[in-house]
Amino acid sequence: MKFLNKAVTFLFLTISCGLFFLDPDDAQAKSNWHPYNDLLFGYAKRQKILKYSSTGWGDFDGYQHMLFSSKRHPQYKYTRKNRTFLIRYNTVSPYLKAKYNYRKIKISHGTKTPIFSYWFKHQNEGWTYINTIEFWMVKPIRF
């Protein structure tokens, strides 16, 4: 009877640990992603492009209507430590292998005149730099 009790307890602990460690990235990723809206940062009264990559900017401009559309329920994850937004867009094309396309926004300087650096990641390629823009905000951003 003790052997059966120990076996059942061991089996229960093994299954519960297996379920806990089965796929921690998916469980954590589902809880950290929030719905994204383009008005999340507020309004800017003017902007100035500080730096840009001609190849990255051209590629993003070509992809943005198809792959980085806000109609596909984008989600974001914010890292407060380094002020970085990671935005993911669903890929609905059956021909693409990746499920998501990503855009990364790195915020630097203050809240009234923040500087945003933009990158994008299409499918399984590496990060491609787009541009760096300084904004003069109507209201300070909260990020």
Side-chain angles (χ1 to χ4, degrees):
M1 189 69 174
K2 288 183 180 181
F3 176 76
L4 183 62
N5 192 10
K6 287 182 181 180
V8 169
T9 305
F10 178 75
L11 184 63
F12 175 73
L13 289 175
T14 305
I15 291 173
S16 63
C17 288
L19 291 176
F20 180 72
F21 293 112
L22 185 62
D23 204 356
D25 293 336
D26 281 347
Q28 185 178 6
K30 289 177 186 175
S31 65
N32 290 341
W33 292 99
H34 308 288
Y36 176 74
N37 185 357
D38 287 333
L39 301 176
L40 186 67
F41 298 114
Y43 300 99
K45 55 185 169 185
R46 70 183 182 111
Q47 65 186 23
K48 178 182 179 183
I49 297 176
L50 301 177
K51 182 179 168 185
Y52 72 94
S53 167
S54 59
T55 56
W57 197 342
D59 287 344
F60 182 74
D61 196 28
Y63 287 141
Q64 81 181 30
H65 298 294
M66 300 175 351
L67 304 174
F68 297 95
S69 172
S70 61
K71 296 175 186 172
R72 297 183 180 159
H73 308 289
Q75 298 174 329
Y76 78 92
K77 186 188 292 188
Y78 177 66
T79 307
R80 188 179 182 119
K81 183 178 179 181
N82 55 7
R83 295 178 75 190
T84 303
F85 271 87
L86 186 62
I87 306 165
R88 73 178 181 184
Y89 297 87
N90 291 336
T91 304
V92 295
S93 175
Y95 304 111
L96 299 176
K97 295 179 182 178
K99 186 173 181 180
Y100 298 107
N101 294 314
Y102 296 94
R103 192 168 53 149
K104 181 168 60 171
I105 303 172
K106 171 89 170 127
I107 304 171
S108 58
H109 295 281
T111 58
K112 291 184 180 180
T113 58
I115 296 177
F116 288 26
S117 297
Y118 295 90
W119 287 269
F120 77 93
K121 183 177 177 182
H122 178 250
Q123 289 190 3
N124 296 324
E125 300 172 0
W127 289 101
T128 304
Y129 173 74
I130 303 171
N131 57 16
T132 301
I133 302 175
E134 182 175 7
F135 291 99
W136 283 264
M137 305 303 288
V138 173
K139 294 181 180 177
I141 61 170
R142 54 190 180 125
F143 300 105

